[in-house]
Amino acid sequence: MTKNENTQTTTLGSTGPSVFPLGLGCMGMSALYGEADRAESLATIHAALDAGITLLDTGDFYGMGHNELLISEALRTAPAAAREQALTSVKFGALRTVEGGFTGYDGRPAAVKNFLAYSLQRLGRDHIDIYRIARVDPDVPIEETVGAIAEAVQAGHVRHIGLSEVGADTLRRAATVAPISDLQIEYSLISRGIEDEILPTARELGIGITAYGVLSRGLISGHFTRDRALAPGDFRGMSPRFQGENLDRNLDLVDALRKVAADKGVSVAQTAIAWVLAQGPRHGVDIVPLVGARRRDRLAEALGAMDITLSPADLAAVEEAVPAGAAAGERYPEAQMAHLDSEH
């Protein structure tokens, strides 16, 4: 894969780093979507860097450290120029069991320092570019958690402070403690809840958005079929949007989107990603979609979205095919929805 001719960069908010307009979400290379091919994962990261992608997003709990070690290996074996341009975005705080379960979140300042020390060791780097708690710890004020990350910034171990899945009020409180570069949050054609309060607040505070789930875990990629058998351990087996009648209704939306994409001569996935790319200018917020490609062909498809310009008529057609609020089912199971500060 050759370097993308589009050399445009996006600055994450008023204080964040300049990044390529798409980021690579690496979670699926280690966890929650069934087995991944290690060699192909490494090749995909290398291809992303070669294409100009700079932001690599991970979490210390993705495969209990596996994902950070994978990224470390990819960077260690990448050309020096690519390694130097790479930026790491790391989520922390999730508590796991040996069996892979989630038991809560820890945002205490002492825990922040502990998680950070382990991540730096696994990544093989002397700093993390953007560091954020994965979910708000309900027992620890966000001011304390952000304050601990701010201390790490002062010490040179972290460059920028991010947040993940927080609501407008929490975003405001965090921003009183230290500059926030970006909010990482789910945003796609079928997950548009952030448009009401969160996007306007981010715009007001000069905070960027790194949007994950832009293809809704493959649901609106155009590649997911009604009869697809999911591998054991695949998160989508528990996701409400992939169950029974919900799946049928959601794939009906994809079929409608497919017609719009075909008229434009592009793929469904490219249309969905291009729609997210177009939302930054529409809402006055810096938005960088994170594409969760595990293979080079899916990465190439996603990169093609950058060459698509959606006119006002195109955007209207896309949103007529997939109206706001049309998705069937919540984006997470009920127990996980309860952890989302952004939903309360």
Side-chain angles (χ1 to χ4, degrees):
M1 188 177 295
T2 58
K3 189 172 290 292
N4 196 293
E5 294 299 320
N6 188 333
T7 57
Q8 172 191 359
T9 59
T10 298
T11 301
L12 283 174
S14 58
T15 64
S18 293
V19 299
F20 191 78
L22 291 179
L24 182 65
C26 299
M27 181 186 75
M29 298 176 181
S30 297
L32 300 178
Y33 290 103
E35 290 294 325
D37 183 312
R38 185 178 186 84
E40 182 61 24
S41 295
L42 292 169
T44 301
I45 296 174
H46 287 161
L49 295 172
D50 185 56
I53 286 178
T54 52
L55 190 64
L56 304 178
D57 184 77
T58 184
D60 62 10
F61 51 94
Y62 293 168
M64 289 74 159
H66 178 280
N67 206 238
E68 290 178 320
L69 291 169
L70 182 75
I71 290 173
S72 177
E73 181 179 350
L75 292 176
R76 190 172 63 250
T77 54
R83 183 166 59 249
E84 291 168 5
Q85 76 178 4
L87 302 176
T88 52
S89 167
V90 179
K91 291 178 291 299
F92 69 89
L95 304 176
R96 305 293 304 272
T97 67
V98 173
E99 295 76 21
F102 287 85
T103 60
Y105 296 89
D106 193 343
R108 295 171 302 149
V112 174
K113 295 176 182 179
N114 177 78
F115 289 128
L116 175 59
Y118 279 80
S119 283
L120 289 171
Q121 178 67 26
R122 285 188 292 258
L123 288 166
R125 295 169 79 84
D126 63 4
H127 72 275
I128 289 170
D129 295 285
I130 310 176
Y131 201 49
R132 69 187 88 236
I133 190 165
R135 301 286 187 269
V136 174
D137 181 343
D139 298 322
V140 178
I142 192 64
E143 292 88 346
E144 292 185 16
T145 303
V146 169
I149 306 175
E151 291 181 4
V153 172
Q154 293 173 352
H157 304 314
V158 171
R159 294 282 168 82
H160 302 279
I161 304 170
L163 291 168
S164 175
E165 286 289 355
V166 305
D169 289 344
T170 302
L171 200 58
R172 290 184 187 281
R173 288 168 51 200
T176 66
V177 178
I180 306 298
S181 67
D182 68 303
L183 167 63
Q184 187 173 121
I185 196 162
E186 186 166 353
Y187 187 41
S188 72
L189 268 170
I190 63 171
S191 295
R192 296 178 60 178
I194 70 171
E195 293 175 349
D196 295 333
E197 292 186 63
I198 294 174
L199 277 185
T201 302
R203 180 179 65 241
E204 175 191 337
L205 298 174
I207 295 172
I209 299 289
T210 40
Y212 76 89
V214 293
L215 297 179
S216 197
R217 299 160 185 83
L219 181 59
I220 60 172
S221 67
H223 302 299
F224 202 92
T225 60
R226 285 172 169 80
D227 59 353
R228 178 170 173 176
L230 295 172
D234 191 317
F235 163 81
R236 292 169 293 190
M238 300 181 295
S239 173
R241 289 184 174 173
F242 288 82
Q243 307 303 312
E245 292 184 2
N246 286 350
L247 178 62
D248 288 335
R249 288 170 57 191
N250 291 330
L251 289 182
D252 285 344
L253 297 174
V254 176
D255 288 340
L257 183 62
R258 195 185 308 276
K259 296 175 183 177
V260 178
D263 288 344
K264 194 141 180 86
V266 298
S267 75
V268 174
Q270 288 170 337
T271 304
I273 296 169
W275 181 88
V276 176
L277 282 166
Q279 300 315 300
R282 290 177 86 185
H283 292 277
V285 182
D286 302 313
I287 298 178
V288 174
L290 299 173
V291 294
R294 302 198 297 172
R295 301 182 345 218
R296 284 168 287 181
D297 58 340
R298 296 287 193 251
L299 173 66
E301 181 182 29
L303 286 165
M306 294 180 57
D307 298 324
I308 299 171
T309 299
L310 295 178
S311 68
D314 293 331
L315 289 168
V318 168
E319 292 170 17
E320 182 179 356
V322 187
E330 298 284 2
R331 53 195 181 101
Y332 285 103
E334 184 177 355
Q336 293 184 37
M337 289 293 292
H339 288 295
L340 297 178
D341 181 78
S342 56
E343 296 287 341
H344 302 304

